[in-house]
């Protein structure tokens, strides 16, 4: 079963309060390569490595099925700052 | 196993690359079992030795001259950009060693490759290294561990004396 955008979104949203989410399938639909941007205050107080580990853990069953996975995990404040 | 694991990557391996797609974890039950199998003490010790083998250690797909994956290529390019001292870096091609390829994920508790270690400590994968590069923290880290030459603070031409 290829991993779908819905799988990832549902799993993330059920684990943390997501303020903004972007999931890009970079595999042209075969579900093997995803790039995600997660914005959540659940990352507050966590360093980059800890955030990535945190997201990896939430999505581990899916990541193990993918060929490539890339993430950006920002707090709401950081995301807003990145937009300006 | 030790020999193959500890052999630093000097040549690309086409035969291993050919098996690339077939090794996709979801494609066979066997590879899934390998992925969840507990890391043996020997493998763990061998990986630890590899991690400690150099101030900077990169587990990647392919070699610095011939990276076999865009993420590994990106890390190599960032390293080149910073002018890392070749003697301070060791890279291991996980495509040449299935045991390392699976073992390193469990060892680092990190699901993807490449993986970068500095001074025996896990730094992260491609996303993190890129982020550290952009924020300037990578340069600091590499300088601190003398993986890149230190640029003295008074390197600017000094008109006095």
């Amino acid at each position: 079963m290829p991993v779908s955008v819905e799988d990832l979104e549902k799993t993330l949203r059920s684990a943390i309060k997501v303020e903004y989410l972007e999931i890009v399938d970079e595999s042209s639909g075969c579900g093997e390569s995803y790039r995600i941007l997660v914005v959540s205050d659940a990352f507050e107080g966590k360093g980059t490595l800890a955030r990535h580990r945190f997201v990896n853990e939430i999505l581990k069953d899916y990541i193990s099925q993918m060929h490539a996975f890339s993430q950006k995990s920002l707090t709401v404040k950081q995301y807003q700052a990145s937009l300006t | 196993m030790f020999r193959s694991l500890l052999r630093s990557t000097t040549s690309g391996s086409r035969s291993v690359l050919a098996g690339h797609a077939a090794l996709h974890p979801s494609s066979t039950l066997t590879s899934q079992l390998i992925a969840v199998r507990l890391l043996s003490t020997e493998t763990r010790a061998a990986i630890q030795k590899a991690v400690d083998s150099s101030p900077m250690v990169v587990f990647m797909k392919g070699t610095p001259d011939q990276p076999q994956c865009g993420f590994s290529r990106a890390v190599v390019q960032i390293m080149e950009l910073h002018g890392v001292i070749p003697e301070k870096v060791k890279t291991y091609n996980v495509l040449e060693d299935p045991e390392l390829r699976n073992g390193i994920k469990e060892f680092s508790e990190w699901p993807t490759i490449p993986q970068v270690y500095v001074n025996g400590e896990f730094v992260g994968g491609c996303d993190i290294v890129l982020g550290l590069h952009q924020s300037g923290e990578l340069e600091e880290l590499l300088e601190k561990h003398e993986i890149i030459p230190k640029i003295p603070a008074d390197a600017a031409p000094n008109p006095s004396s």
Side-chain angles (χ1 to χ4, degrees):
Chain A
M1 267 285 282
V3 176
S4 71
V5 172
E6 292 74 35
D7 291 335
L8 297 174
E9 176 162 5
K10 221 174 94 189
T11 310
L12 267 174
R13 288 194 189 276
S14 67
I16 53 172
K17 187 166 180 280
V18 176
E19 300 297 337
Y20 179 73
L21 182 61
E22 236 178 69
I23 303 178
V24 183
D25 181 350
E26 296 195 309
S27 67
S28 324
C30 76
E32 286 208 7
S33 175
Y34 283 98
R35 173 163 55 87
I36 70 167
L37 165 64
V38 201
V39 179
S40 169
D41 278 335
F43 301 134
E44 200 73 65
K46 285 187 168 74
T48 314
L49 186 57
R51 290 177 193 189
H52 281 232
R53 283 203 192 281
F54 184 54
V55 171
N56 287 346
E57 182 61 27
I58 294 170
L59 299 176
K60 70 174 175 192
D61 292 343
Y62 298 113
I63 293 174
S64 67
Q65 297 177 51
M66 293 177 202
H67 174 72
F69 178 72
S70 169
Q71 66 166 296
K72 237 185 186 171
S73 20
L74 305 177
T75 60
V76 175
K77 251 188 226 151
Q78 285 176 322
Y79 179 60
Q80 282 163 350
S82 77
L83 295 177
T84 52
Chain B
M1 176 204 74
F2 280 83
R3 188 168 300 158
S4 67
L5 187 63
L6 294 174
R7 184 183 54 211
S8 188
T9 57
T10 47
S11 62
S13 169
R14 290 181 194 284
S15 59
V16 176
L17 185 67
H20 188 68
L23 281 173
H24 191 276
S26 67
S27 59
T28 66
L29 183 61
T30 330
S31 59
Q32 246 172 3
L33 287 175
I34 290 170
V36 298
R37 184 194 56 187
L38 283 176
L39 206 52
S40 74
T41 318
E42 298 89 69
T43 309
R44 184 173 286 279
I47 293 178
Q48 184 65 55
K49 208 171 159 187
V51 162
D52 294 333
S53 65
S54 188
M56 184 176 200
V57 176
V58 181
F59 298 92
M60 61 179 287
K61 291 183 179 173
T63 64
D65 291 335
Q66 279 188 301
Q68 306 287 2
C69 160
F71 297 99
S72 289
R73 181 189 302 277
V75 166
V76 168
Q77 282 174 340
I78 292 171
M79 285 160 57
E80 282 172 358
L81 203 69
H82 283 276
V84 297
I85 302 164
E87 296 76 43
K88 303 277 178 129
V89 184
K90 221 165 170 176
T91 67
Y92 293 86
N93 182 359
V94 302
L95 298 178
E96 281 187 343
D97 192 332
E99 191 152 13
L100 175 61
R101 184 177 182 174
N102 289 307
I104 191 65
K105 294 181 183 176
E106 197 179 321
F107 181 90
S108 310
E109 293 173 39
W110 194 258
T112 51
I113 288 162
Q115 299 187 7
V116 176
Y117 278 81
V118 169
N119 201 30
E121 248 181 76
F122 181 64
V123 175
C126 181
D127 292 331
I128 290 187
V129 169
L130 186 63
L132 292 174
H133 164 63
Q134 286 164 343
S135 70
E137 290 164 274
L138 185 64
E139 188 172 5
E140 258 170 57
L141 181 73
L142 297 179
E143 218 177 72
K144 187 172 145 202
H145 296 288
E146 297 175 350
I147 294 163
I148 55 174
K150 263 204 172 70
I151 299 166
D154 57 355
N158 190 348
S160 70
S161 82

